[in-house]
Amino acid sequence: LAYYEAAVAEPPLQPFIHLNRGNAYHALWRPTEAAACYEACLDENPPLKEQQRHVHSLALLNLGTVREAVSTGCDQSGAGTVC
């Protein structure tokens, strides 16, 4: 995660950094941080060009997945449950 903090200083990379950092937080069962990263990606990446639309759609999909996991109680680490 520390590498993402350093890389986010590069403006052209910010949407990708936010998306990938969100994925890392999601894998670590940290849904609040993951959602914040996906939301930052959406805020900084309006879907104007094809590449932006792809990243934007991935962030939307991942944000929905995180929110669903939280609403169904699947955001607890170590539970051993596949949600």
Side-chain angles (χ1 to χ4, degrees), residues 9-60:
E10 296 295 323
L13 298 176
Q14 286 179 352
F16 302 101
I17 300 302
H18 291 307
L19 179 66
N20 289 323
R21 185 171 44 183
N23 293 342
Y25 279 128
H26 185 78
L28 293 170
W29 295 94
R30 294 171 59 179
T32 303
E33 292 95 336
C37 291
Y38 297 140
E39 289 169 354
C41 180
L42 293 170
D43 290 344
E44 295 176 10
N45 191 52
L48 303 175
K49 296 180 183 173
E50 185 175 345
Q51 184 178 16
Q52 291 170 314
R53 286 192 295 268
H54 181 71
V55 173
H56 192 87
S57 65
L58 288 173
L60 277 174

